[in-house]
Amino acid sequence: MTKPDITDVAVAEPRLAVIITCWNYAEYVSLAIRSVLDQRCNECELIVIDDGSTDTSWSVIQEHGVRAYRIENSGQRAACLYGLGKTRAPFVLFLDADDELQPGSLTIILEKLDDRVAKLQFPLVRIDRDGAVIGQPVPRLTAFRDRRALASRVLKTGTYASPPTSGNVFRRDACRFLEEADYESAVDGVILFAVPFLGDVVSLSEALGRYRVHDRNDSGLGRPLDAKLLRRELARFTARMDHLRRILEPMAQAQNLARAEDTHFYLERSCYLAVAEGRPVPIGNLARLVQRVWENDESMKTRAALVAFLILTAILPNRRAQQGLSYRLNTNQRSMTGLLRSLL
């Protein structure tokens, strides 16, 4: 059963809908809402979905007089789909309740959107639970507008550099694939990799949002090595690739999509999982992963550093290998000196 807020009135013909989904984030959701409202963007509308919170989130949301709904707890994907059904805006930004948009970001975003854009992406500044900046924006993105090169990369690797949920704006038609993604509760999955086949992807180098790193991040950013999380990532990636293959069939591209088990992401996470579980890294997987590293388009220096790290991880005692991986997967701190110290 849903409970709409009394301010259930849509903005006339908005171009962009910002949908905030909240589950037990009473301490953060007000900041997320204010980060949108304070921009006073006439071409945008804000919709807030409380996903059956058991804390005071709903009361906090109602204090802002925004267009809001309370639904039974169903997970982020279901909450986002519910919010999507409450807007007809051609573009949608799903903002996590613990994240924020930077001042002026909506104007910048709207200037870049047209009918040919299937997705716009931008980095997010990392902040701690109190809002203090704790590191460089993630991911490091260059400014471009492209579809063919990204589509080719997706076919070959199943992925490309993309921000967490709050750093993406999707054209409405791309969001329809969320209805079929019943294998996961998040929204930053298959639609990220389907968009290059639907239209242009606009990438911005300027950080337009703030990503809060804390102990409840579902993405795992900022967490130490976690075997359970790695197993979940592998299962999700395999399901996403199967789903993407079905999406690409009408486009006659399904046969060109790589097998999940042959991709860099799958092989890398499989090696990490072996270390996390205290098992030897399978030599065959490591060899295939090294080959994938040399096939990518990173600089020679970057590829050589990654290969060296992977080999060290495979041959070091498990405790040290786990320390190195924990450092690499913790986005709060990254340097070659720090990495070597963590390994040795």
Side-chain angles (χ1 to χ4, degrees):
M1 180 178 179
T2 63
K3 183 179 179 181
D5 186 77
I6 57 173
T7 56
D8 187 14
V9 179
V11 176
E13 301 299 330
R15 288 183 62 210
L16 173 65
V18 179
I19 299 175
I20 297 176
T21 57
C22 177
W23 181 72
N24 288 350
Y25 273 156
E27 67 268 48
Y28 302 131
V29 67
S30 183
L31 295 170
I33 292 172
R34 292 307 327 171
S35 76
V36 179
L37 293 180
D38 289 349
Q39 298 191 46
R40 301 184 182 280
C41 181
N42 294 328
E43 294 184 86
C44 302
E45 67 174 340
L46 173 63
I47 299 171
V48 184
I49 309 297
D50 180 70
D51 187 25
S53 294
T54 56
D55 63 0
T56 60
S57 293
W58 181 239
S59 297
V60 173
I61 292 167
Q62 288 182 304
E63 291 174 0
H64 292 277
V66 295
R67 189 177 172 204
Y69 300 86
R70 191 178 195 186
I71 64 175
E72 294 181 1
N73 181 248
S74 306
Q76 184 194 40
R77 181 180 67 92
C80 286
L81 282 170
Y82 186 88
L84 187 66
K86 296 300 180 181
T87 178
R88 292 185 296 176
F91 294 96
V92 181
L93 191 162
F94 298 113
L95 180 64
D96 287 342
D98 55 339
D99 294 341
E100 304 168 31
L101 294 180
Q102 297 278 49
S105 59
L106 293 175
T107 298
I108 296 173
I109 289 169
L110 285 165
E111 289 174 349
K112 302 292 184 178
L113 297 178
D114 59 58
D115 292 344
R116 295 182 312 241
V117 175
K119 193 193 92 162
L120 178 145
Q121 63 181 25
F122 49 86
L124 302 173
V125 175
R126 283 173 286 145
I127 58 175
D128 64 16
R129 60 183 304 117
D130 299 318
V133 175
I134 58 175
Q136 295 298 312
V138 291
R140 287 182 293 181
L141 297 175
T142 57
F144 64 81
R145 177 167 179 158
D146 176 74
R147 63 181 300 180
R148 291 186 179 180
L150 285 185
S152 177
R153 183 173 180 83
V154 169
L155 291 173
K156 185 177 181 180
T157 70
T159 186
Y160 62 89
S162 186
T165 305
S166 301
N168 299 282
V169 175
F170 297 102
R171 198 172 64 202
R172 186 181 185 88
D173 61 315
C175 299
R176 70 183 186 273
F177 300 124
L178 289 176
E179 298 178 2
E180 307 164 3
D182 55 1
Y183 47 84
E184 64 179 337
S185 62
V187 298
D188 53 350
V190 71
I191 55 176
L192 292 176
F193 311 117
V195 287
F197 301 94
L198 303 177
D200 294 344
V201 174
V202 173
S203 180
L204 305 179
S205 59
E206 179 182 358
L208 300 182
R210 292 156 62 87
Y211 179 90
R212 197 177 304 275
V213 178
H214 55 89
D215 58 359
R216 293 171 58 197
N217 291 130
D218 185 65
S219 68
L221 286 180
R223 292 185 188 177
L225 189 64
D226 185 334
K228 181 180 179 181
L229 182 61
L230 290 168
R231 285 193 295 270
R232 188 181 71 173
E233 284 188 347
L234 284 167
R236 282 182 173 180
F237 181 73
T238 301
R240 287 171 186 171
M241 289 290 277
D242 289 342
H243 187 184
L244 182 58
R245 198 177 306 278
R246 295 195 299 273
I247 292 172
L248 295 178
E249 283 179 355
M251 308 176 196
Q253 291 279 15
Q255 70 277 9
N256 298 323
L257 182 64
R259 293 174 63 249
E261 296 81 1
D262 293 331
T263 64
H264 180 134
F265 182 90
Y266 188 94
L267 292 167
E268 184 178 52
R269 288 304 191 270
S270 296
C271 290
Y272 290 178
L273 179 59
V275 174
E277 294 179 337
R279 298 183 285 108
V281 174
I283 298 302
N285 281 5
L286 178 61
R288 292 163 63 202
L289 176 56
V290 169
Q291 180 181 355
R292 296 293 176 270
V293 172
W294 283 116
E295 290 173 350
N296 70 35
D297 53 5
E298 298 285 351
S299 68
M300 179 69 73
K301 180 180 178 180
T302 299
R303 285 180 287 170
L306 180 53
V307 168
F309 170 77
L310 292 170
I311 293 174
L312 274 175
T313 300
I315 64 177
L316 282 173
N318 185 257
R319 180 182 62 81
R320 290 185 177 178
Q322 289 188 358
Q323 290 173 341
L325 281 181
S326 292
Y327 182 90
R328 176 172 172 76
L329 296 176
N330 187 336
T331 57
N332 293 336
Q333 47 185 0
R334 283 284 189 90
S335 75
M336 183 57 67
T337 301
L339 180 58
L340 291 174
R341 285 176 179 171
S342 69
L343 284 170
L344 304 175

